[in-house]
Amino acid sequence: MSYFRSLAVLFLLLFAVTASAQTTSGTMSGTVIDASGQVVPGADVSVTNEATAEVRRTVTNEVGAFSFPGLQPGPYAVRAELAGFRPFEIKGNMVLANNRLALPPLRLEVGSLAEAVTVSAVGQVVATTTTAHQAILDLKQVENLSIRGRDPISLLKILPGVGMLANDQETFGGSFATPVPNIQGGRGQTIYVDGINGGDGGGGGNFSAAVNMDAIAEVNVQMSAYTAEYGLKGGAQVNIITKHGGAEYHGTGYWYNRHERWNATNFFNNRTGTPKPQYRYSTLGATLGGPIPKIPKIHGGNKLFFFYSIDDTQLKDVNALRRYTMPTALERQGDFSQTRTTSGALIPVRDPLTGQPFPGNRIPMDRMDSRSMALINMMPMPNATGTGYNFVTQEPSID
């Protein structure tokens, strides 16, 4: 009984996760017609995922239409055939997450099954089946965009309707998380990774789900007028889609490096003569995806796939240049005759017994407290001259 109870608990947990997830699949639909433009009911239509070789089949209805819902994002080949006609095939149909792809009519011509018409590339077609206003970054764009801090939120800055983003952060998320920018002039965006909440506050506000840039396949932003199944909350819906394994093994390896030797000395270090601090980012990473070899009694091979990525960043982050006011050599001897405000006014030092300033703004040596002097002498001597400060320091870079 404990075995079945464990299975029941596992099922409930999986259901709970699924219930809170946003749709990440796509839909493909179209119509089969003959040479005269008349619809062809009863035609066999199949779609093949060109990455995983997975095949799905259906039959056109009485008006020659077909639809494939719940398709994993990726390229698909579509094939239509019927006895007495030459099969017709279109390759390279890209299905995107949260999208409905409407194909041009598949035209069957009279002929034998030994003949076939194949179209290897299809131009972009107008999406007439949805009113959604959306923006998409595909794999090629993601790979070619240079992001200094390797933070996926920086990808959004090139999309239309996205509010101004600050400069790329040095590291992913900065000190905590990355703020999600305003989209279409509004707030309350919701952000997901593969349909799962990727941020704080119900998915919006801050993006805190660490995602390796080299593992991202697509960034899809549903801006407005999206269909009901994609909108769990108000505002724009941002979905980051990660890569997945296919029927063949593919992988990448990379090394990103930043070092102070490639940086100029900044203005403030240069002005104070402070040496250039250590600034080092070394990111080693790799990805690998493909089919899981056939496992007897579990799966027959070429039906189970994996994708793995690792992204390891080692860094030395620069500390800011610090400015302080330290006791001067005269002040350590009780002489405050030269102690002035930034506007040049003398700062009076008053005798606590009389409430009046000490003569000449100097504290007599016999009135100096030895314990206070010991503490004062622990502080470093001034090393700079500036407005409101006389000591400059830079702490070692942080690992």
Side-chain angles (χ1 to χ4, degrees):
M1 289 296 293
S2 60
Y3 172 77
F4 291 105
R5 188 178 298 111
S6 299
L7 283 179
V9 171
L10 178 60
F11 173 79
L12 289 174
L13 288 173
L14 290 174
F15 178 79
V17 171
T18 304
S20 64
Q22 188 193 45
T23 304
T24 59
S25 59
T27 298
M28 181 189 298
S29 61
T31 306
V32 178
I33 61 175
D34 60 19
S36 64
Q38 300 299 310
V39 297
V40 179
D44 295 317
V45 182
S46 64
V47 292
T48 304
N49 188 315
E50 295 178 18
T52 65
E54 177 190 6
V55 180
R56 289 176 58 179
R57 292 182 172 85
T58 190
V59 177
T60 57
N61 61 18
E62 64 277 5
V63 293
F66 64 89
S67 178
F68 291 95
L71 294 176
Q72 188 179 41
Y76 284 83
V78 182
R79 183 181 177 90
E81 53 189 347
L82 184 65
F85 294 88
R86 288 183 290 178
F88 185 88
E89 185 176 43
I90 305 178
K91 296 181 178 180
N93 303 284
M94 185 61 66
V95 174
L96 302 175
N98 301 339
N99 248 271
R100 298 180 178 182
L101 177 62
L103 296 174
L106 308 184
R107 187 182 297 272
L108 295 179
E109 297 181 358
V110 177
S112 66
L113 290 177
E115 304 174 275
V117 177
T118 302
V119 180
S120 59
V122 177
Q124 187 68 30
V125 295
V126 177
T128 59
T129 60
T130 179
T131 59
H133 178 201
Q134 60 186 346
I136 296 170
L137 288 174
D138 58 25
L139 177 59
K140 185 176 181 180
Q141 291 170 304
V142 171
E143 290 178 339
N144 290 333
L145 287 172
S146 178
I147 305 297
R148 181 182 64 181
R150 294 177 56 72
D151 190 329
I153 291 297
S154 294
L155 294 170
L156 299 177
K157 66 172 58 177
I158 72 167
L159 296 178
V162 176
M164 290 295 293
L165 281 169
N167 293 332
D168 294 344
Q169 302 191 82
E170 294 285 356
T171 54
F172 173 83
S175 60
F176 169 66
T178 307
V180 180
N182 293 345
I183 300 177
Q184 297 290 91
R187 299 184 62 83
Q189 316 339 322
T190 308
I191 189 161
Y192 299 90
V193 178
D194 292 330
I196 304 299
N197 183 354
D200 304 304
N206 293 306
F207 178 55
S208 56
V211 179
N212 174 5
M213 285 281 294
D214 286 72
I216 295 176
E218 175 192 334
V219 179
N220 185 300
V221 183
Q222 300 281 325
M223 294 188 172
S224 62
Y226 38 76
T227 50
E229 64 265 31
Y230 305 133
L232 298 181
K233 300 180 181 298
Q237 313 291 309
V238 182
N239 209 329
I240 296 174
I241 311 298
T242 59
K243 298 177 182 176
H244 51 81
E248 299 179 351
Y249 292 103
H250 292 282
T252 61
Y254 53 87
W255 177 41
Y256 296 97
N257 182 251
R258 286 181 270 161
H259 197 283
E260 72 269 9
R261 66 173 175 266
W262 295 314
N263 293 347
T265 304
N266 72 61
F267 171 81
F268 298 101
N269 283 62
N270 206 31
R271 186 173 68 174
T272 59
T274 307
K276 185 165 52 176
Q278 284 189 331
Y279 171 85
R280 298 178 184 179
Y281 281 77
S282 178
T283 303
L284 287 168
T287 66
L288 180 64
I292 294 177
K294 178 179 179 180
I295 303 176
K297 298 183 180 180
I298 294 182
H299 77 103
N302 213 31
K303 292 184 179 179
L304 204 57
F305 309 94
F306 76 93
F307 182 83
Y308 181 81
S309 70
I310 184 171
D311 194 82
D312 181 32
T313 298
Q314 304 293 327
L315 62 91
K316 283 189 178 294
D317 212 3
V318 175
N319 264 312
L321 204 62
R322 308 289 183 181
R323 301 173 182 85
Y324 301 101
T325 299
M326 296 294 174
T328 65
L330 288 176
E331 291 168 350
R332 293 166 198 256
Q333 299 172 13
D335 186 348
F336 290 86
S337 61
Q338 304 301 317
T339 304
R340 300 179 180 276
T341 65
T342 55
S343 62
L346 183 69
I347 300 177
V349 179
R350 300 182 182 276
D351 186 337
L353 299 179
T354 65
Q356 299 299 314
F358 283 104
N361 222 33
R362 293 180 177 88
I363 303 174
M365 291 302 295
D366 60 352
R367 298 286 301 278
M368 304 284 282
D369 187 281
S370 60
R371 292 164 296 183
S372 297
M373 295 308 300
L375 288 173
I376 287 174
N377 288 324
M378 291 177 62
M379 298 181 183
M381 293 292 291
N383 64 1
T385 301
T387 302
Y389 68 93
N390 63 10
F391 183 80
V392 176
T393 185
Q394 188 157 39
E395 297 175 10
S397 299
I398 303 171
D399 288 335

